Amino acid sequence: MAIVVTVTSGKGGVGKTTSSAAIAAGLAQAGHRTVVIDFDVGLRNLDLVMGVERRVVFDFVSVISGEASLNQALIQDKRLERLSILAASQTKDKDALTEDGVGQVIEQLSDMGFEYIVCDSPAGIERGATMALYFADHAVIVTNPEVSSVRDSDRILGILQSKSKHAEEGGRVNEHLLITRYDPVRVDQGEMLSKEDVCDILAVKLIGVIPESKAVLKASNTGFPVILDAESDAGMAYSDAVARFLGEDRPLRFVTPKKQGLLSRILGGGD
Amino acid sequence: MMPAPQIRLTRYSVMTLEWPKDSEPLEHWLRGQREIAPSLMQEIAIILRPSVDHKSEDIRHAVDTLGRLGVGLIGLTGDSCHRATATTLGLAWLSSNTSSVESDVGPSQIPADSAREAALVIEGPVRSGVQIYAKDRDLVVIGQVSEGAEIMADGHVHVYGRLRGRVAAGVGGQTGAEIFCVMFEPELVSIGGTYCGDEQIPSNLWSARVRVRLDTNAQTLTFTSMG
Ligand SMILES: Nc1ncnc2c1ncn2[C@@H]1O[C@H](COP(=O)(O)OP(=O)(O)O)[C@@H](O)[C@H]1O
Ligand SMILES: [Mg+2]
């Protein structure tokens, strides 16, 4: 059976889609057959971040409604042979995501030999989000280092451990904390919560801290997962996070302010 | 054999809403209470005690308000001049005598061991938005209680972890209920219906190992360190 990894947060705009794309690409890079599904019916973002928006003909909802087969809807990534994408539809209504429908798609993907199914959850706690987490074996909780985001993450963790299939059957979903858009300078100045604060409030195992980085915007504008930008800080941080998810022990990077050289201090800027 | 209906003498815990004349308008006060403790008012049977000076019309109005706010009003008590009003409004009448006797022996006692179920034991974290209510028994939480979570019991509440949410012991009016916590940082504390917010907690006991009891004479909560 494939392992279902849901990327969720409660709050919008914290980096779920960026992280879903990075994690899925990272798992594929590590040799695992992976599919990433966009649950954000109506918004449809993942295909842009993955750079496949022109190749979307059928989507997740058309598979559930029986309009298309899974084979027709799956988009094979051109850079990573083990990675496929199942896009969300821009138009169809959110009620199209039924528990049976989603369950069947996950089962078929398993039968096709996928090892990991990464679910990119929409914001909020409504249908799309609860469907994305219902079948989760693992949940990656994406949190920004600020109070409202942490609070929403806490709430989604409560839903995860009460409304998911595992919870209903008396089990638990494995929780992993991923802190994104972390700016060590602002943390030092007390404008953002530190990673210690966030871990302390949520009491979930930390799998990564992704720095606030210009590489992320550049990557999504050009349509490739930032993890493939192996030179960038965010790319390296995501690689570390995926390695830790797979059980490797790696020290955290990019969590303290960079030491500025004399020259860049004089000239200003210098990131 | 067919089971026969039976009438038994049973003692229930109910809350009495004391409503003095010229108090803050009930609706306003209740909305305020609900804000600080959204679930405390739910599933709780309440008896309204108006003052002697309230007119029948005032009471009718108050009963409407309580109904609209979803408070489970079961009857009136107080001066016997309101008895007729209770009947017209289709509410039970509880004579003051019985209710004062009851409150001395009944609700203030936590039932003896034989009558009680084992404690409800919950493995935390109890997350924001989650509510836990241990009915007719104690509650033990192992792990943290997040801000925005609510834990309640008719009996005692024990928290072996950081308590940042709302906590209520003796929810059914058991004034002898207590709260024990190893890391005390709550948003709101209540015992037997007496509340207080975090600003009333002595600052030296913040984050400490704390025991909370209700001082029934002063109707205030007392906080002590467990060392
Ligand atoms: N580490 C980061 N550094 C800088 N910008 C980021 C980072 N992570 C996400 N962003 C930006 O934040 C915005 C929201 O990200 P997205 O992944 O779409 O969030 P969500 O799916 O949670 O709504 C996007 O514009 C994205 O480029
Ligand atoms: Mg998104």
Side-chain angles (χ1 to χ4, degrees), chain A residues 13 15-18 38 40 43 45-46 120-123:
Chain A
K16 287 181 294 296
T17 300
T18 306
D38 190 348
D40 207 344
L43 275 177
N45 248 322
L46 182 70
D120 178 18
S121 172

Coordinates of all heavy atoms in Angstrom, one line a residue, chain A residues 13 15-18 38 40 43 45-46 120-123, ligand 2:
Chain A
G13 N -1.3 30.5 2.5 CA -0.2 31.3 2.2 C 1.1 31.0 3.0 O 2.0 31.8 3.0
G15 N 3.0 28.2 2.7 CA 4.0 27.5 1.9 C 3.7 26.0 1.8 O 4.6 25.2 1.5
K16 N 2.4 25.6 1.8 CA 2.0 24.2 1.7 C 2.3 23.7 0.2 O 2.8 22.7 0.1 CB 0.5 24.1 1.9 CG 0.0 24.2 3.3 CD -1.5 24.0 3.5 CE -2.3 25.1 2.8 NZ -2.1 26.4 3.4
T17 N 1.9 24.5 -0.8 CA 2.1 24.1 -2.1 C 3.5 24.0 -2.5 O 4.0 23.0 -3.1 CB 1.3 25.0 -3.1 OG1 -0.1 24.9 -2.7 CG2 1.4 24.6 -4.5
T18 N 4.3 25.0 -2.1 CA 5.7 25.0 -2.3 C 6.3 23.8 -1.6 O 7.2 23.1 -2.3 CB 6.3 26.3 -1.6 OG1 5.7 27.4 -2.1 CG2 7.8 26.4 -1.9
D38 N -3.1 17.8 -6.1 CA -3.6 19.1 -5.6 C -5.1 19.0 -5.2 O -6.0 18.7 -5.9 CB -3.5 20.1 -6.8 CG -3.8 21.5 -6.4 OD1 -4.2 21.7 -5.3 OD2 -3.5 22.4 -7.2
D40 N -6.7 21.5 -3.8 CA -7.2 22.9 -3.7 C -8.1 23.1 -4.9 O -7.8 23.9 -5.8 CB -6.1 23.9 -3.7 CG -6.5 25.2 -3.0 OD1 -7.7 25.3 -2.8 OD2 -5.6 25.9 -2.6
L43 N -8.7 26.7 -6.9 CA -7.6 27.6 -6.9 C -6.5 27.1 -7.9 O -5.9 27.8 -8.7 CB -7.0 27.8 -5.5 CG -7.7 28.9 -4.8 CD1 -7.1 29.0 -3.4 CD2 -7.6 30.2 -5.5
N45 N -3.0 25.5 -8.0 CA -1.7 26.2 -7.8 C -0.5 25.3 -8.1 O 0.5 25.7 -8.7 CB -1.5 26.6 -6.4 CG -1.6 28.1 -6.3 OD1 -1.0 28.8 -7.2 ND2 -2.2 28.6 -5.3
L46 N -0.7 24.0 -7.7 CA 0.4 23.1 -7.8 C 1.0 22.9 -9.2 O 2.2 22.8 -9.4 CB -0.1 21.7 -7.2 CG 0.9 20.6 -7.2 CD1 2.0 20.9 -6.1 CD2 0.3 19.3 -6.9
D120 N -1.5 17.9 -1.4 CA -1.3 19.3 -1.1 C -2.7 19.8 -0.7 O -3.6 19.9 -1.5 CB -0.9 20.0 -2.4 CG -0.8 21.5 -2.2 OD1 -0.7 22.0 -1.0 OD2 -0.7 22.2 -3.2
S121 N -2.8 20.1 0.6 CA -4.1 20.5 1.2 C -4.4 22.0 0.9 O -3.5 22.8 1.0 CB -4.1 20.3 2.7 OG -5.2 20.8 3.3
P122 N -5.7 22.3 0.7 CA -6.0 23.8 0.7 C -6.0 24.3 2.1 O -5.9 23.6 3.1 CB -7.5 23.8 0.1 CG -8.0 22.4 0.4 CD -6.8 21.5 0.4
A123 N -6.2 25.6 2.2 CA -6.2 26.3 3.5 C -7.6 26.0 4.2 O -8.5 25.5 3.5 CB -6.0 27.8 3.4
Ligands
MG2 MG -1.6 26.0 -1.8

